[in-house]
Amino acid sequence: SPFVFKVLATMAEKGLDFQLIETLPVRSLKAIGKEASPDFIKASPLGKIPAYQEGNWTIADSSVIMAYLDRQNPENLLYPSEPKKFAETLWFEKYGDEILAGVVHHKILFEKIVKPKLFKKPTDEAVLHIAITEELPPVLKYLEKELKGKTWITGDHFTAADIAIGTHLVS
C-alpha cells in the first residue's frame, strides 16, 4: 500500500525503529474470507491501513501518523514551520492521497495487480485503459508543471509532500 509506504518512508527519514505487522484492510480481508485481528480493529476503527501503535495508544491514517511522527521527532521536519510552505506541503499530500491515488492506486494498481492476484478476478481492461490514457496524463502534467525548476515539490527541501507523491508514483 502506498499509504503504508508513506509511514515507512517517514520512519526511515526519522531513523525510527519499528515493528511492521502486515495485514490487509478489512474490506480486502472480507473479500477473501478472512477477518481482521481485534488488535488491528482497535488501532484502525475504519479498517484501513496503516495503523500505528505506541504502547497502548493507537492512531490510524497515514497522514495523521506522519504528522504525529514529525511532531514527536522534530529533527528533519517533514512539515515546514513556515505557514505557506506548510500549506503547500498539506496540499500536495492531499493531491497525492486523493487525486494521484485515485488513478494510480484505486484504478491502475487495483485492476492490474490487486484484483487478479488477491481477488482472483479478471482485470477490467476498459477501466485500466481509460485510467492510463485519459485520467493519468493530466494528473502527471500538473505535477510536472509544479516541479519545473525545483528539486523538491515544495521547493528547497524534502517534505511530507515528496513522500506522499513519491509513494504513489512508485506503485
Side-chain angles (χ1 to χ4, degrees):
S1 164
F3 300 100
V4 172
F5 290 152
K6 281 176 56 183
V7 173
L8 294 176
T10 299
M11 291 179 151
E13 187 67 19
K14 299 287 183 177
L16 302 175
D17 291 326
F18 60 91
Q19 177 188 5
L20 178 65
I21 300 171
E22 293 187 33
T23 188
L24 293 170
V26 169
R27 183 175 167 202
S28 296
L29 287 169
K30 285 182 181 180
I32 59 172
K34 296 184 179 181
E35 291 192 29
S37 74
D39 287 341
F40 177 65
I41 297 299
K42 178 183 179 253
S44 181
L46 299 178
K48 296 180 178 183
I49 55 176
Y52 178 81
Q53 181 176 352
E54 195 174 286
N56 291 326
W57 182 78
T58 60
I59 195 74
D61 185 84
S62 61
S63 295
V64 174
I65 296 166
M66 286 175 66
Y68 167 73
L69 293 172
D70 201 48
R71 291 292 182 253
Q72 275 296 102
N73 306 278
E75 57 286 337
N76 302 322
L77 284 175
L78 297 173
Y79 293 90
S81 57
E82 193 275 314
K84 288 181 181 173
K85 291 295 180 192
F86 176 70
E88 288 176 10
T89 299
L90 293 178
W91 160 248
F92 282 108
E93 184 176 15
K94 187 170 192 70
Y95 189 84
D97 288 352
E98 293 183 13
I99 305 303
L100 191 55
V103 178
V104 173
H105 181 69
H106 299 298
K107 292 186 180 175
I108 297 170
L109 186 68
F110 180 78
E111 285 296 335
K112 197 71 177 159
I113 307 292
V114 176
K115 201 171 167 184
K117 301 237 186 264
L118 183 65
F119 299 137
K120 309 296 184 214
K121 295 189 177 189
T123 296
D124 185 329
E125 295 295 338
V127 169
L128 189 61
H129 179 74
I130 290 169
I132 292 170
T133 62
E134 295 177 26
E135 296 175 16
L136 188 58
V139 170
L140 295 177
K141 186 175 183 175
Y142 171 73
L143 288 174
E144 185 176 35
K145 177 182 75 88
E146 291 298 316
L147 276 165
K148 190 170 187 169
K150 297 179 185 173
T151 301
W152 305 106
I153 291 174
T154 60
D156 58 354
H157 74 281
F158 185 76
T159 67
D162 299 290
I163 292 173
I165 298 296
T167 54
H168 292 291
L169 292 175
V170 168
S171 293

